[in-house]
Amino acid sequence: MHLLYLDESGSVADPSQRYFVLAGVAVFERATHWIEQSLNNVACQFSPQAPHEIELHGSPMRSGRDGWKSYALSDRLAAIKEALKAGIADQKSTSVRLFGAVILKSALAGEDPVAHAFEQLSSRFDLFLKRLYNKHDDPQRGVMLFDKSSTEQRIQTLAREFKYTGHTWGRTNNYAEVPVFLDSKASRLIQLADLVAFALFRFHEHMDNTFYDVIKHCFDNEGGVEHGLYVRV
């Protein structure tokens, strides 16, 4: 089974922000423990005695919110890059791959950016699982896991629609369960998804490639074709 951990960056309702991002990391089930351990090592730099009390979230780490102000900015930025490298870039591509949807809000006249992004990722992750079976004889199921948010009910409804009624390109067939919503405090992988979404948001909203460059080659791809990243501008 492959687990797709997702989080969002950018606010749909904030007119000062041009982009909305939904993105995250798909992990083969047996790799989750080792990735969590690598992220715990990053957290240990800030709290050796209680690393689990440290949450790795991109925006607070960069801005100094939620207790991060007491640490040097250079250390905070380096930790974001280290978490992305250890949790994603240094992992085997067969075990970890990224999916992301970047939406320029003004490009969707009257359309819900959350629904548009979720449709893209739901379809692309489903096609990835289908490709594993058709091309590699590897039958796998998937589950999407989200940080708890105000979009929970909307996404649950969309997931059911895509399974039974269909989306723009057909119905999803490879999900083991409806999306699951977790408290990010309890999941390092959800925190890693936050860092992925933040890296994409910083790159598109502010032309800041500091974090994006660490992971830009890690989106789902095969045969030189990138399937995992969708950008609507």
Side-chain angles (χ1 to χ4, degrees):
M1 181 176 290
H2 289 260
L3 309 173
L4 177 57
Y5 296 85
L6 292 166
D7 203 359
E8 58 194 55
S9 188
S11 170
V12 171
D14 187 347
S16 70
Q17 296 181 346
R18 296 175 297 142
Y19 286 90
F20 171 79
V21 174
L22 184 64
V25 53
V27 182
F28 183 57
E29 58 182 309
R30 289 200 289 271
T32 56
H33 170 75
W34 306 110
I35 294 174
E36 181 181 358
Q37 292 300 103
S38 70
L39 298 177
N40 284 338
N41 290 338
V42 176
C44 275
Q45 299 172 22
F46 301 96
S47 180
Q49 303 304 318
H52 294 287
E53 295 182 5
I54 297 292
E55 285 193 67
L56 304 173
H57 289 293
S59 183
M61 290 175 74
R62 185 182 181 279
S63 66
R65 300 195 320 270
D66 301 342
W68 283 100
K69 197 73 172 179
S70 59
Y71 305 104
L73 175 61
S74 59
D75 292 341
R76 303 194 312 257
L77 299 182
I80 295 175
K81 294 174 69 174
E82 185 177 348
L84 291 170
K85 184 176 184 296
I88 299 168
D90 288 349
Q91 301 293 323
K92 293 181 180 179
S93 61
T94 53
S95 297
V96 175
R97 62 197 69 213
L98 301 183
F99 290 84
V102 180
I103 311 296
L104 180 64
K105 295 184 291 184
S106 62
L108 295 182
E111 190 176 345
D112 178 9
V114 175
H116 189 87
F118 178 70
E119 181 178 42
Q120 286 290 334
L121 295 190
S122 180
S123 171
R124 287 164 189 265
F125 185 49
D126 187 60
L127 290 173
F128 156 66
L129 297 168
K130 181 179 180 180
R131 193 174 74 237
L132 286 180
Y133 177 69
N134 289 342
K135 292 190 175 183
H136 306 286
D137 195 28
D138 183 13
Q140 295 285 335
R141 291 295 187 218
V143 172
M144 303 173 92
L145 302 100
F146 289 81
D147 189 12
K148 284 184 174 294
S149 71
S150 60
T151 59
E152 179 171 350
Q153 186 58 52
R154 177 69 173 134
I155 287 174
Q156 293 282 23
T157 300
L158 286 168
R160 286 193 294 269
E161 290 176 359
F162 293 166
K163 181 176 181 179
Y164 295 108
T165 307
H167 51 71
T168 303
W169 306 279
R171 290 187 298 178
T172 55
N173 299 303
N174 297 287
Y175 289 105
E177 183 54 277
V178 296
V180 176
F181 288 80
L182 303 174
D183 185 341
S184 63
K185 288 183 178 180
S187 172
R188 284 285 186 224
L189 277 298
I190 289 288
Q191 294 171 32
L192 185 59
D194 172 275
L195 297 180
V196 172
F198 181 68
L200 278 171
F201 180 78
R202 289 292 308 175
F203 179 63
H204 288 274
E205 183 77 17
H206 301 288
M207 298 301 293
D208 175 9
N209 64 349
T210 304
F211 312 119
Y212 176 69
D213 279 355
V214 180
I215 58 171
K216 63 183 180 182
H217 300 301
C218 301
F219 289 86
D220 178 45
N221 68 87
E222 182 158 318
V225 179
E226 187 174 71
H227 303 287
L229 181 59
Y230 170 79
V231 179
R232 174 67 182 271
V233 295

